[in-house]
Amino acid sequence: MTDIRSAGGNTGSRPAPPGRHAVFGTGMFLLAGVLVLNSLLGPLGLGLIDYPISTTLQNQLIGLEIVTLALVAPLSIAAAVLALRGHRAAGPMAFGPAAYTAYMFAQYVLGPEYAAFNAVVLFDLGVFAAGAVLAVGAWTITDTRSLPDTTPAKQRTYGVILLALAAFVVSRYLGPILGGAMPAEFADARTFFWSIVLLDLGLVVPATIVSAVALFRRTPSAPKALYAVLGWFVLVPPSVVSMAAVMMARSDPAGSVGQVVVLGVVAVVFLVVAANVFRPLLSRHRVDA
């Protein structure tokens, strides 16, 4: 098996045409705008979008929207700028916020258990679809030949990290899996809980494990998978910390100082790992015509 290389690597793929990067960059700009609009219209802002959910889940939603404004939208804009400049980091940088958007808005559609279609459902469906399409686009415009060199030892290390991330996600569901009750905040919102279970254990964990295996086997797609998985994971712990912090600030009985502290530490660790992986990718590099 050959090592994964940067330009000139044995992948057989071609760089994405600059035109595709321009279209993709425009899409990421639009996604950022829609996310900001949703946050401003929702419970964090004007309250014009009113989800039929419990107070605890409303607090969590506000926490999510804070992260959207502070991290997800800015990262989407950064990825858009990189795409318009033809930078190799555009796809890897965009995958996280795009996939995160699809992940969150799937919950916005399913969780409230609407009795009928309405404008909010259609809007959230549109944002979900945009996030999903742009996540696929981020994967397809990323040329493995342009990515930084990764030594076999680093690939194995990153593979172990991804397995640890998968184990972390699974650990959050060990209680219900082993026969315990679902978290109290979901007692009256079971669809919310099971939609998250479906996304985490049905998509996130398998994708993370597959990416780890690709790194261990040093397959050509392994670098793309690494950036994609870490780009998504780096947004999740801050969102959970933000949700817990808002619950504490609003004296929500489901809030916990311990959860804020523990997940805050986890968020910092994830950020350090992601920064170490992404830093070489952000050196000056354009996509060839």
Side-chain angles (χ1 to χ4, degrees):
M1 186 78 67
T2 57
D3 290 349
I4 299 173
R5 300 293 179 185
S6 56
N10 188 21
T11 66
S13 60
R14 292 177 58 82
R20 286 181 60 190
H21 274 67
V23 172
F24 180 77
T26 301
M28 291 302 297
F29 270 125
L30 292 175
L31 181 66
V34 170
L35 290 175
V36 171
L37 176 63
N38 178 74
S39 296
L40 294 178
L41 295 179
L44 177 63
L46 301 175
L48 298 179
I49 297 178
D50 184 21
Y51 294 96
I53 54 180
S54 67
T55 300
T56 293
L57 290 179
Q58 287 276 6
N59 292 335
Q60 292 185 0
L61 186 61
I62 290 172
L64 287 175
E65 296 302 343
I66 291 173
V67 172
T68 294
L69 293 178
L71 290 177
V72 183
L75 281 174
S76 299
I77 293 172
V81 172
L82 289 171
L84 294 179
R85 292 179 176 178
H87 199 286
R88 65 180 179 181
M93 286 286 290
F95 188 92
Y100 179 90
T101 297
Y103 176 90
M104 290 303 174
F105 277 82
Q107 298 171 46
Y108 289 5
V109 172
L110 296 173
E113 300 181 13
Y114 296 105
F117 267 104
N118 58 50
V120 174
V121 176
L122 292 175
F123 176 76
D124 289 346
L125 275 171
V127 180
F128 163 79
V133 169
L134 287 168
V136 174
W139 178 270
T140 57
I141 70 168
T142 302
D143 175 31
T144 53
R145 296 181 304 173
S146 71
L147 301 180
D149 293 340
T150 308
T151 66
K154 281 189 175 181
Q155 290 178 52
R156 289 192 294 269
T157 299
Y158 294 147
V160 171
I161 290 173
L162 293 193
L163 290 180
L165 292 177
F168 172 76
V169 174
V170 172
S171 71
R172 295 178 57 80
Y173 298 99
L174 285 181
I177 288 174
L178 297 177
M182 67 175 62
E185 62 263 35
F186 295 111
D188 297 323
R190 296 179 181 177
T191 303
F192 245 118
F193 177 76
W194 292 117
S195 66
I196 299 171
V197 170
L198 173 65
L199 293 167
D200 283 353
L201 301 185
L203 289 177
V204 175
V205 170
T208 304
I209 293 174
V210 169
S211 299
V213 172
L215 286 165
F216 290 138
R217 298 183 62 185
R218 294 155 52 191
T219 61
S221 62
K224 288 207 294 185
L226 174 65
Y227 290 120
V229 171
L230 286 183
W232 183 87
F233 265 105
V234 78
L235 295 172
V236 176
S239 69
V240 180
V241 172
S242 181
M243 289 190 292
V246 171
M247 291 165 66
M248 288 295 301
R250 294 192 162 204
S251 301
D252 193 307
S256 168
V257 175
Q259 185 179 39
V260 175
V261 173
V262 172
L263 289 173
V265 172
V266 172
V268 171
V269 172
F270 282 11
L271 179 61
V272 170
V273 173
N276 183 65
V277 174
F278 275 83
R279 186 169 54 249
L281 181 70
L282 292 171
S283 61
R284 181 170 295 185
H285 188 286
R286 287 186 57 84
V287 176
D288 296 332

